Amino acid sequence: MSTNFELPIRPVIAPLPPGWDGSPQQIIDEINARIKLLTSQQFALFVTGSVEPATNLGPWAKDGREWYYFNEDSGDYEPFLLSSTALGYQISVDEPTDPAIRLWFEIDVAGSPLAIYQRVGTTEPAVWETYGYRKSEVYTKAETQAEILAKPAYSVRATLSADQLVAITGAAVKLNMNQKEWDVQNVYDNTTSRYTAPVRGIYSIKIVSQFDNAGGDPTQMQITLYGRKNNAANVGAATIAIDTPPGQRWFCNFAFDVLLEAADFMELVAIAMDGTFTGSLNLSSGNSYWCISLIQPL
């Protein structure tokens, strides 16, 4: 069943000139030219479509989903603005008092953001829960840098100043990591290739190495790298026996964490073995290094 609605519209037709005479069609044409529809209320017509009108044709429903109004100052259509209250949020210095507000963006008197809160429940007085973190709880860049400096990682990266010849004897050979690429708190002695722990803690060690054959037997070659603590204990190790390309080059890379007491020191050693124990390996200065840093003071 259809429902008809009455609109408060009143047609007004301007009078015809005195003595006017014409056919029925001419009468209709004159009425169409003179008729106006008057209302006791304001009605707004709107346009639809995907292309923005160039002139003011009333509200524009873009694609039938998004509403725009014509800005007479800029001469184009702009999105309708919805009040923050209608959307349930408020941006203010003071706590909202309207129960319809569910999200509060707190700012200071200068307009800078401080925090975001969401309202919990509907009880009064309102209970506001921090949404994320307050600005005062988050470090600035300067504060972060200051915190890093206050808790140094004692980070070091060292390599070789020149290739090192490692004899294939089955005995441990200390690696001459005598060129510092960085040493943030000056804890590495490049004359002894030794890292000395400044504080007790857990340290992360990463080792990258490339050994080139210099007369060894590649068919039985085995290379082991050790992280040696206090010139006594081997606390990390990796062994490689696969040559790439065959007979020419070996890569031995590994990483480990180690507990060091203050004044403990770390060095690198290598042991090379083959079937004849003759010849040598060449530790590449351009492709070998080790890195050490404190990851957890204790």
Side-chain angles (χ1 to χ4, degrees), residues 1-6:
M1 179 177 177
S2 62
T3 302
N4 297 319
F5 298 94
E6 292 186 2

Side-chain angles (χ1 to χ4, degrees), residues 84-90 96-104 119 121-122 124 126 128:
S84 61
T85 303
L87 297 177
Y89 75 89
Q90 179 174 313
T97 57
D98 188 338
I101 301 300
R102 309 300 301 174
L103 197 62
W104 171 32
R119 181 165 180 165
T122 58
E124 293 292 345
W128 295 96

